């Protein structure tokens, strides 16, 4: 099996990239947070940009920047994960359908409402006819995209892949999550989110792109493995992680830092707390969803964050869940779940 | 014969800018005789679909022959003349 390295990375979230180092946090008190805007016009032609929803703009912007950093013009694979897809265009044509009483609809929003619009627009922009796949698997969408890319590169079929995770919010459809009790009913400052004792979380937009390659070059990290489970009982969580690490002859003591998906939902954060108080009690623990919110592909921020930590060999205090100092970490583990389902583990090694 | 600066011309330009999300273009930047597709305004086939919807929705004109579109959507002038002649609302 070929090895898989992370070479180019790019992020759009509710925080500036520099927060990793300087800890200057953007503060929010609402439960539905937009991603920070970028100067899209600087790299996307206005005639292309005019039809793009935020998900497409963010996906293309991060892809172009990750490819630029990895010095790859045309990737051999474009593989994206998105749980919700292009919500804004979906909402637009559904509203038009209602307003016109199922009469005339604008074709653009309908055409662009599918989940694979992001990957398609990236391919059109790059004039790239390579393998193009979009995975929509709830909060394991990004992890599934990683698995596909790892198989493509690991098997030797490809030397590189552009891999990403994108989620956008829409006014009406995102509010459905409110009805479903997924969002906090009260306003809460993002800085105290992880201490919350109520149900629900804060949701936000984000986009991340990575270039995976079979050669290390100046890699951020080596991607060792990804595993996903739809269900995992709390009492089986430790043994699953032990088994997962044991595949690489590792124990929890080998993990230089662990990135947890705590999101302030008192109903499900016990999964993370169980690990914090047991097998990773002596490990530097890092959280991020109080800064960038929750969404179906937000584990892509965790992968971006892990890559940055390996590169910088430090992390701002605002991410830390405990006081244990990080010392030249060799391995990192990312654990995520949403609503007690779709559990994932991502194992990385410092390159 | 409608005047080159009729209300219909202005209304059409405003509708096209709004419907096609031409945010960076002002009304006076679209010439009445400028080609809408190709080298002119640079519209494409998806825009053509949007213009067909615009004709039906705003002016009650249903295009039965897609080939007609090439002539009708040539410029603001040709669109305005066609609308003036065939509009039902």
């Amino acid at each position: 099996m070929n090895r898989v390295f992370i070479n180019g990375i790019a992020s759009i979230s509710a925080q500036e990239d520099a927060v990793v180092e300087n800890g200057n946090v953007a503060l929010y008190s609402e439960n539905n947070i937009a991603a920070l805007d970028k100067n899209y016009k600087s790299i996307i032609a206005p005639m292309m940009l005019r039809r793009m929803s935020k998900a497409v703009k963010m996906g293309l912007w991060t892809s172009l920047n990750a490819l630029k950093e990895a010095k790859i013009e045309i990737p051999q694979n474009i593989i994206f994960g998105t749980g919700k897809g292009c919500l804004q265009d979906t909402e637009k044509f559904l509203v038009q359908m209602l307003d016109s009483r199922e009469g005339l609809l604008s074709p653009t929003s309908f055409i662009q409402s599918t989940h694979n619009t992001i990957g398609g627009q990236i391919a059109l922009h790059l004039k790239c006819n390579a393998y193009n796949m979009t995975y929509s698997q709830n909060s394991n969408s990004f992890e599934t995209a990683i698995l596909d890319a790892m198989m493509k590169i690991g098997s030797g079929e490809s030397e590189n892949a552009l891999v990403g995770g994108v989620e956008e919010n829409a006014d009406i459809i995102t509010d459905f999550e409110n009805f479903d009790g997924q969002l906090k009913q009260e306003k809460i400052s993002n800085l105290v989110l992880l201490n919350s004792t109520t149900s629900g979380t804060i949701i936000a937009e984000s986009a991340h792109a990575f270039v995976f390659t079979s050669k290390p070059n100046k890699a951020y990290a080596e991607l060792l493995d990804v595993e996903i489970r739809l269900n995992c009982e709390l009492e089986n969580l430790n043994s699953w992680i032990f088994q997962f690490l044991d595949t690489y002859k590792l124990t929890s003591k080998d993990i230089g830092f662990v990135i947890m998906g705590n999101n302030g939902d008192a109903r499900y954060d016990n999964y993370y707390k169980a690990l914090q108080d047991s097998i990773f009690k002596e490990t530097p623990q890092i959280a991020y969803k109080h800064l960038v919110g929750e969404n179906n592909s937000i584990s892509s921020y965790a992968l971006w964050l892990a890559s940055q930590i390996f590169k910088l060999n430090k992390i701002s205090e605002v991410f830390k869940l405990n006081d244990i100092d990080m010392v030249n970490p060799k391995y990192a583990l990312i654990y995520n779940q949403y609503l007690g389902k779709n559990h994932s583990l991502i194992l990385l090694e410092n390159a | 014969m409608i005047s080159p600066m009729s209300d219909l011309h202005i209304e059409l330009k405003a509708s096209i800018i709004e419907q096609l999300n031409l945010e960076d273009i002002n009304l006076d930047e679209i010439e009445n005789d400028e080609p809408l597709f190709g080298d002119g305004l640079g519209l494409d086939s998806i825009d053509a679909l949007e213009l067909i919807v615009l004709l039906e929705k705003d002016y009650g004109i249903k295009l039965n022959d897609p080939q007609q579109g090439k002539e009708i959507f040539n410029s603001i002038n040709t669109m305005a003349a066609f609308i003036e002649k065939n509009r039902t609302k």
Side-chain angles (χ1 to χ4, degrees), chain B residues 6-64:
Chain B
S6 71
D7 288 347
L8 181 57
H9 282 80
I10 295 165
E11 181 184 292
L12 256 183
K13 289 178 188 179
S15 298
I16 287 173
I17 288 171
E18 189 195 340
Q19 196 69 28
L20 307 185
N21 296 319
L22 301 168
E23 295 163 359
D24 295 331
I25 294 178
N26 295 320
L27 284 181
D28 52 11
E29 288 178 78
I30 306 176
E31 299 292 340
N32 288 339
D33 56 356
E34 177 186 24
L36 295 176
F37 292 82
D39 292 338
L41 199 55
L43 303 185
D44 59 23
S45 56
I46 297 176
D47 294 316
L49 289 171
E50 292 281 5
L51 293 180
I52 290 171
V53 172
L54 186 148
L55 278 189
E56 188 165 347
K57 210 164 99 182
D58 293 355
Y59 304 102
I61 302 171
K62 194 166 184 174
L63 284 188
N64 293 317

Side-chain angles (χ1 to χ4, degrees), chain A residues 2-61:
Chain A
N2 285 341
R3 295 161 74 185
V4 180
F5 297 92
I6 300 172
N7 266 293
I9 64 171
S11 166
I12 296 178
S13 72
Q15 300 289 337
E16 298 286 356
D17 289 1
V19 71
V20 178
E21 278 188 279
N22 63 24
N24 292 337
V25 175
L27 299 174
Y28 300 97
S29 58
E30 63 267 40
N31 300 340
N32 183 346
I33 302 167
L36 299 178
D37 268 326
K38 298 289 177 181
N39 184 10
Y40 297 112
K41 284 181 184 172
S42 65
I43 52 174
I44 308 170
M47 287 301 271
M48 293 282 288
L49 201 54
R50 70 193 166 105
R51 285 202 198 109
M52 292 180 180
S53 67
K54 195 162 180 188
V56 177
K57 281 192 270 195
M58 294 192 300
L60 183 53
W61 191 92

Side-chain angles (χ1 to χ4, degrees), chain A residues 136 142 144 167 173 175-176 184 246 271 294 297 304 318:
Chain A
S136 184
F142 176 64
T144 316
E167 304 292 344
I173 298 177
D175 211 32
F176 292 164
K184 290 236 176 270
D246 190 52
Y271 278 94
E294 177 70 81
S297 302
W304 177 87
V318 293

Side-chain angles (χ1 to χ4, degrees), chain A residues 252-253 255-258 279-285 322 324:
Chain A
S252 56
K253 289 192 173 66
I255 301 301
F257 62 94
V258 59
I279 58 174
F280 293 118
K281 199 173 179 182
E282 306 300 325
T283 307
Q285 302 166 358
N322 61 6
I324 298 171

Side-chain angles (χ1 to χ4, degrees), chain A residues 98-110:
Chain A
L98 285 171
D99 288 348
S100 68
R101 294 181 176 271
E102 298 188 25
L104 283 169
L105 295 175
S106 154
T108 307
S109 51
F110 177 72

